[in-house]
């Protein structure tokens, strides 16, 4: 990949290793910038290179601590806008607040829409993200928004490491069926669904498995793993129905609280996540958690955006 003229890549503090890997793919060193804190924890940004008239891409996941990383993104956008950058693209591998995409009850916010407004008002001209929790969030932005998919990357890893004849793709809940079906189609595998339901208030959830998983290597597919409880319970339900083994392929490894310990102690053979969120030390040393890099996928999407080529054709 030759260096794309006019491209500048700026990294916040949320996932600098991923930004560096994207830069390496594009053979473009990161633009020198300082993103630091004052004594009272206010964020200060200084772009230390000329960006006037440039096509600039900010790589910043809004992962934990979500609000700090979101503010970094907004302030970097403002700094670039005031530095006369020609076009500012916010590359957000993990879009925080995406699970608040609708009103969950009376007098509750739609925080994903608020965040979209903030990013737009800060000066972003376009947004690029990966496996949005809800596709309709693209419509919350009034600027061009590309939602990339990790499915090609996950499918390749499954084909390289497993006997496809024994594989069955499983959605851990009814809401994730579309995502699981898309991956199953890529690897020509069958699909099963874990249907969770609580028969009566106060009783534990009952896991109903829809599909014959006996003797199959089951692969749970989802966009986010947070506490890990759903995955662990789904794995136990599948094994109880005769599955040979259970692994999981999840795009965003939020893994909050005691999730890593829960996954490590579970019957999951393997959890495969991407580096859309910077892996913690606990994730890196966990015996059954593995990380795939999305740097080449995002790098190629940036290259195509910069040269006005099709991004959607990446997923055909």
């Amino acid at each position: 990949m030759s260096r794309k003229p006019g491209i500048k890549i700026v990294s916040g503090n949320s996932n600098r290793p991923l930004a560096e890997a994207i830069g390496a793919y594009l053979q473009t060193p990161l633009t020198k910038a300082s993103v630091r804190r004052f004594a009272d924890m206010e964020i200060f940004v200084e772009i230390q290179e000329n960006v006037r008239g440039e096509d600039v891409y900010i790589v910043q996941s809004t992962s934990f601590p979500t609000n700090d990383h979101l503010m970094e993104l907004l302030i970097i956008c403002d700094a670039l806008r005031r530095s006369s950058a020609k076009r500012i693209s916010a590359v957000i591998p993990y879009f925080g607040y995406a699970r608040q995409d609708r009103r969950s009850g009376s007098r509750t916010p739609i925080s994903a829409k608020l965040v979209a407004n903030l990013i737009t008002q800060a000066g972003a001209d376009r947004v690029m993200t990966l496996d949005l929790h809800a596709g309709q969030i693209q419509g919350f932005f009034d600027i061009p928004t590309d939602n990339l998919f990790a499915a090609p990357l996950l499918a390749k890893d499954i084909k390289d490491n497993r006997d496809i004849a024994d594989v069955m793709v499983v959605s851990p809940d009814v809401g994730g069926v579309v995502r699981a079906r898309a991956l199953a189609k890529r690897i020509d595998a069958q699909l099963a669904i874990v249907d969770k339901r609580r028969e009566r208030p106060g009783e534990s959830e009952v896991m109903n498995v829809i599909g014959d998983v006996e003797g199959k290597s089951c692969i749970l597919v989802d966009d986010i793993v947070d506490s890990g409880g759903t995955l662990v319970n789904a794995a136990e339900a599948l094994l109880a129905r005769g599955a040979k083994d259970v692994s999981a392929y999840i795009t965003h490894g939020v893994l909050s609280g005691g999730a890593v310990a829960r996954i490590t102690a579970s019957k999951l053979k393997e959890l495969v996540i991407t580096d859309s969120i910077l892996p913690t030390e606990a994730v890196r040393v966990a015996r059954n958690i593995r990380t795939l890099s999305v740097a080449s996928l995002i790098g190629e999407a940036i290259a195509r955006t910069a040269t006005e080529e099709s991004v959607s054709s990446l997923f055909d």
Side-chain angles (χ1 to χ4, degrees):
M1 174 67 63
S2 60
R3 186 193 188 284
K4 295 295 181 290
I7 283 183
K8 294 278 189 180
I9 302 173
V10 177
S11 175
N13 291 322
S14 72
N15 199 342
R16 191 173 180 88
L18 176 59
E20 289 171 346
I22 293 169
Y25 177 85
L26 292 167
Q27 298 180 15
T28 304
L30 296 186
T31 297
K32 292 178 183 175
S34 173
V35 183
R36 61 182 190 272
R37 302 288 191 277
F38 288 129
D40 64 354
M41 298 308 292
E42 280 188 6
I43 297 164
F44 176 74
V45 171
E46 183 181 9
I47 309 299
Q48 296 169 326
E49 290 183 25
N50 179 27
V51 293
R52 183 179 295 273
E54 297 278 15
D55 191 7
V56 186
Y57 295 81
I58 308 165
V59 180
Q60 176 81 337
S61 282
T62 50
S63 51
F64 177 84
T66 305
N67 298 333
D68 286 4
H69 290 152
L70 175 59
M71 278 304 298
E72 280 186 12
L73 173 62
L74 299 176
I75 294 171
I76 293 170
C77 280
D78 189 70
L80 291 169
R81 180 168 59 88
R82 295 176 189 278
S83 301
S84 301
K86 180 178 72 176
R87 183 171 69 176
I88 301 166
S89 298
V91 180
I92 313 170
Y94 173 69
F95 186 85
Y97 286 103
R99 285 174 282 183
Q100 297 187 50
D101 63 310
R102 61 175 67 84
R103 293 185 67 189
S104 58
S106 301
R107 296 173 294 280
T108 58
I110 304 178
S111 301
K113 171 58 177 168
L114 173 61
V115 170
N117 290 346
L118 290 170
I119 292 169
T120 304
Q121 290 301 313
D125 296 300
R126 68 182 306 125
V127 167
M128 186 181 293
T129 187
L130 177 69
D131 276 348
L132 276 173
H133 181 65
Q136 66 264 25
I137 293 173
Q138 286 179 281
F140 292 176
F141 288 92
D142 295 323
I143 53 179
T145 303
D146 291 310
N147 181 29
L148 309 181
F149 302 104
L153 185 72
L154 304 183
K156 182 180 184 303
D157 190 82
I158 292 170
K159 289 178 179 178
D160 290 346
N161 292 285
R162 286 168 172 78
D163 181 1
I164 297 300
D166 289 338
V167 166
M168 177 170 273
V169 174
V170 183
S171 173
D173 54 44
V174 175
V177 171
V178 173
R179 182 178 292 104
R181 185 186 291 122
L183 184 63
K185 187 176 179 181
R186 282 183 178 274
I187 63 173
D188 194 23
Q190 293 178 297
L191 178 69
I193 303 165
V194 177
D195 177 30
K196 295 182 300 182
R197 59 185 66 186
R198 198 181 301 273
E199 299 297 338
R200 281 179 289 276
E203 290 190 3
S204 60
E205 287 179 330
V206 177
M207 295 282 193
N208 298 307
V209 178
I210 304 170
D212 183 9
V213 299
E214 188 167 354
K216 296 288 188 179
S217 288
C218 291
I219 295 178
L220 290 158
V221 176
D222 213 343
D223 62 322
I224 296 172
V225 53
D226 192 345
S227 69
T230 296
L231 278 190
V232 169
N233 293 338
E236 290 179 353
L238 291 166
L239 291 168
R241 302 306 193 283
K244 184 165 66 175
D245 55 64
V246 182
S247 300
Y249 277 73
I250 313 291
T251 305
H252 307 297
V254 175
L255 297 169
S256 56
V260 174
R262 189 174 294 113
I263 295 293
T264 305
S266 75
K267 295 177 181 178
L268 272 173
K269 179 181 177 182
E270 185 179 41
L271 168 62
V272 180
I273 57 176
T274 77
D275 59 352
S276 64
I277 296 172
L278 182 66
T280 63
E281 181 60 25
V283 169
R284 284 192 287 268
V285 302
R287 65 168 182 84
N288 59 346
I289 301 179
R290 181 161 58 91
T291 304
L292 300 176
S293 180
V294 292
S296 59
L297 176 67
I298 295 175
E300 184 61 28
I302 289 174
R304 293 184 181 205
T305 300
T307 54
E308 305 299 341
E309 296 175 58
S310 170
V311 172
S312 62
S313 60
L314 268 173
F315 311 105
D316 292 339

